[in-house]
Amino acid sequence: MAEKRALISGITGQDGSYLAEFLLAKGYEVHGLIRRSSSFNTERIDPIYQDPHDSAARLHLYYADLTDANSLSKIVRTVRPTEVYNLGAQSHVRVSFDEPVYTAEATGVGALKLLDAVHDLQQHCDHQVRYYQASSSEMYGKVAHTPQTEDTPFHPRSPYGAAKVYAHWITVNYRESYNLHASSGILFNHESPRRGETFVTRKITRAAGRIKLGLQDKLYLGNLDAKRDWGFAGDYVKMMWMMLQQDTPDDYVVATGETHEVREFCEKAFARLDLNYKDYVEIDPRYYRPAEVDLLLGDPAKAKRQLGWEPQVTFDELVNMMVDADLELARREQSLIKAGHDVCTTSGSAG
Ligand code: NAP
Ligand code: G4F
């Protein structure tokens, strides 16, 4: 068996796909959990699954769900991973207000189910596993102080944030109770051209590209005043791996140390295409949240000091990368429309 064997929950998501690529490039055997869906949900990992080179042979996929403890323990026992990355979650904050119980079960208790499967393997089979938990800056919620560090108290403002606080603390508890090598990355918002289309950055860049080509007239958004510390997902998955290479497990803030308003993201994204966002963006109060997180700004000093981690992509580079990719996507969409094909439009009601 390969020495480096990773199991990733959430492999079909933004981060899971970047992490899988990163680990395959490092020679890992990568095992991922996927969910049965009535429509395709593997498009982010299809390029590596279908890659004709040897990496595809090192990528293995299994149907499972974080709410189904049996499926998790069966796969953990079969795969016997050396590293487990728990990235799976109902990860949309607005949706968590509509589905609070499911969010608690998948995002919160799901972490416990996976940790327990790992603990069982370690205890009964004498097999050492390192575990990564995808914690979130959303846990800081109504922030106690700025910038936020590993010592800032949590005050979640959504069912999602509360579920992540549970997952975070149960990870600490398994580390302290069972000497499990378990670490949490408290990641601030991170984006990419693979970001889900109902998160605000991607919703903006997707709309900007379509508007530029005349495929869409308006973009409806909620709170433009919110401030976020936005980084590039590719930089952040590297940090997940770096944490598990340490002798001692620990928790780290992963952030850029800069914050920007949603409004500024709009301004820069539209300006990249020589458009003024004010001509296209309208406010739809349905996108407001029952409770908002007004400001997030992380201090990544510990990650820099202890692991030597530095984000590589700046805010402006991130905006441009996403806009350019979405302009290209809109061009492909336009060609399909011209050829008479049906094309799904974006921005579903949940966004
Ligand atoms: P994402 O794109 O929404 O991906 C979420 C993944 O979780 C998908 O693969 C999804 O599968 C899977 N999933 C959802 N419910 C599940 C369930 N019940 N059982 C098993 N898998 C399930 O999220 P992301 O942006 O990559 O984020 C990765 C992780 O980091 C998440 O835990 C998120 O909460 C956390 N996080 C993200 C950020 C950020 O800014 N991106 C910041 C802090 C923390 P389908 O593809 O089938 O839906
Ligand atoms: O892009 P968002 O939906 O991300 P949010 O809520 O910050 O959550 C993301 O980051 C967390 C880390 O802090 C992750 F844990 C979580 O999984 C997720 O990846 O919204 C960002 C801001 C919010 O203040 C929201 O109110 O943008 C504001 N916003 C304004 N109009 C909008 C919209 N958000 C969305 N999704 N859609 C809008 O139309």
Side-chain angles (χ1 to χ4, degrees), residues 15-91:
D15 291 6
S17 66
Y18 280 109
L19 181 66
E21 280 169 21
F22 177 84
L23 295 175
L24 287 168
K26 285 213 165 288
Y28 277 70
E29 200 176 283
V30 174
H31 300 257
L33 307 184
I34 60 170
R35 297 194 295 168
R36 194 269 157 182
S37 164
S38 65
S39 52
F40 297 117
N41 63 352
T42 56
E43 82 178 344
R44 293 187 181 98
I45 53 169
D46 284 343
I48 45 175
Y49 197 63
Q50 290 155 5
D51 187 334
H53 301 98
D54 80 318
S55 62
R58 287 186 280 112
L59 176 60
H60 308 271
L61 302 175
Y62 311 82
Y63 285 106
D65 197 292
L66 283 164
T67 59
D68 176 357
N70 282 351
S71 68
L72 301 176
S73 56
K74 200 164 69 183
I75 291 165
V76 166
R77 270 187 273 116
T78 308
V79 172
R80 295 170 71 93
T82 52
E83 295 173 14
V84 171
Y85 295 85
N86 183 30
L87 311 186
Q90 190 305 90
S91 74

Side-chain angles (χ1 to χ4, degrees), residues 9-17 33-37 41-42 44 64-67 72 86-92 102 105-107 132-138 160 164 185-191 194-196 199 230 233 236 240:
S9 74
I11 195 168
T12 55
Q14 172 189 252
D15 291 6
S17 66
L33 307 184
I34 60 170
R35 297 194 295 168
R36 194 269 157 182
S37 164
N41 63 352
T42 56
R44 293 187 181 98
D65 197 292
L66 283 164
T67 59
L72 301 176
N86 183 30
L87 311 186
Q90 190 305 90
S91 74
H92 202 283
Y102 174 69
E105 285 171 356
T107 306
Y132 173 84
Q133 171 58 28
S135 286
S136 166
S137 51
E138 185 71 16
Y160 167 81
K164 281 288 181 188
I186 306 175
L187 270 56
F188 284 62
N189 299 52
H190 46 280
E191 321 293 312
R194 296 185 201 168
R195 186 57 145 149
F199 296 97
W230 279 298
Y236 286 36
M240 298 174 186

Side-chain angles (χ1 to χ4, degrees), residues 65 77 92 108 130 201 211 264 298 302 304 306:
D65 197 292
R77 270 187 273 116
H92 202 283
R130 295 184 174 195
T201 55
I211 287 170
E264 186 186 346
K302 181 177 171 184
K304 289 186 182 184
Q306 285 184 214

Side-chain angles (χ1 to χ4, degrees), residues 10 19 90 121-122 154-155 176 200 206 215 225 235 240 249 287 291 294 306 320-321 327 332:
L19 181 66
Q90 190 305 90
L121 180 70
Q122 191 148 302
F154 299 141
H155 183 151
E176 293 176 352
V200 77
R206 190 79 174 93
L215 299 173
D225 298 327
D235 287 342
M240 298 174 186
Y287 295 116
D294 297 320
Q306 285 184 214
N320 293 347
M321 175 201 302
L327 181 63
R332 290 205 296 273

